Amino acid sequence: ANFQPSIPPAAWDCLRWGWGVLGELAKRFGSRKSPHPMIAGIGVDVVATERIRRMQEEHGERFLRRLFTQLERDYCAAFSDPVPHLAARFAAKEAAYKALGGVGPIRWKEMETRNDERGKPSLHFHGETLARASEAGIIRTQLSLAHDAGVAVAQVVLEGT
């Protein structure tokens, strides 16, 4: 016999014809925004610390002022070797750009890395970058930084609705 469980015909069609039909159902019945944050973007970047050291030696304070906020420069300057910390923050900016989709102009100082009292890094947007993130529904950022053996790495996860 032909057994059909008591489920709506559209759902049965999804089972028979494949999951591509779910997209059609979403178009037909509309989709609801989730009340729970979802991953809206992920970005990762790796930077050679010597690249940042070389740029700092060649261009000095001008290089630092162009890429980093005063808060970031002050934080890094507190270390005996600020370059690995600067490289990690630069990697965070690149990773954030990738997580945002990698399109449009980038304003380096509109992406700022801060550390809380325990040292946990966080990423904050300002200005046009904040507006762009808000338009995309971004409600939270997650940031992980590391530096060792001449490289710095950052991973950015953007959460949205």
Side-chain angles (χ1 to χ4, degrees):
N2 190 1
F3 173 73
Q4 271 192 317
S6 59
I7 59 173
W12 180 247
D13 289 343
C14 287
L15 293 173
R16 264 190 311 163
W17 297 329
W19 294 107
V21 176
L22 287 176
E24 290 304 313
L25 288 173
K27 287 179 196 171
R28 188 182 313 162
F29 298 111
S31 60
R32 296 185 182 106
K33 286 193 172 186
S34 170
H36 306 290
M38 300 174 63
I39 294 177
I42 298 173
V44 176
D45 197 63
V46 179
V47 174
T49 54
E50 284 309 307
R51 176 178 167 215
I52 301 300
R53 190 178 310 282
R54 192 171 54 253
M55 295 297 287
Q56 185 182 12
E57 289 170 357
E58 288 177 19
H59 303 286
E61 190 65 28
R62 180 175 168 252
F63 164 74
L64 296 176
R65 281 194 314 270
R66 183 173 180 203
L67 287 163
F68 303 103
T69 66
Q70 185 65 51
L71 184 75
E72 291 171 318
R73 294 192 312 266
D74 291 345
Y75 176 84
C76 295
F79 292 92
S80 60
D81 184 6
V83 172
H85 304 276
L86 291 165
R89 277 146 186 77
F90 183 72
K93 293 168 190 278
E94 289 276 1
Y97 180 67
K98 292 172 184 176
L100 286 168
V103 293
I106 188 167
R107 290 179 173 80
W108 298 112
K109 294 197 302 187
E110 289 185 355
M111 296 177 276
E112 181 178 56
T113 300
R114 300 178 192 164
N115 291 76
D116 68 13
E117 61 280 349
R118 296 173 310 183
K120 180 183 176 189
S122 59
L123 181 68
H124 300 268
F125 296 132
H126 307 286
E128 290 180 32
T129 305
L130 175 60
R132 195 163 114 201
S134 295
E135 275 180 28
I138 305 303
I139 59 170
R140 187 178 305 126
T141 64
Q142 302 289 336
L143 174 62
S144 181
L145 302 175
H147 48 82
D148 190 29
V151 295
V153 62
Q155 179 177 16
V156 171
V157 176
L158 302 178
E159 296 178 25
T161 55

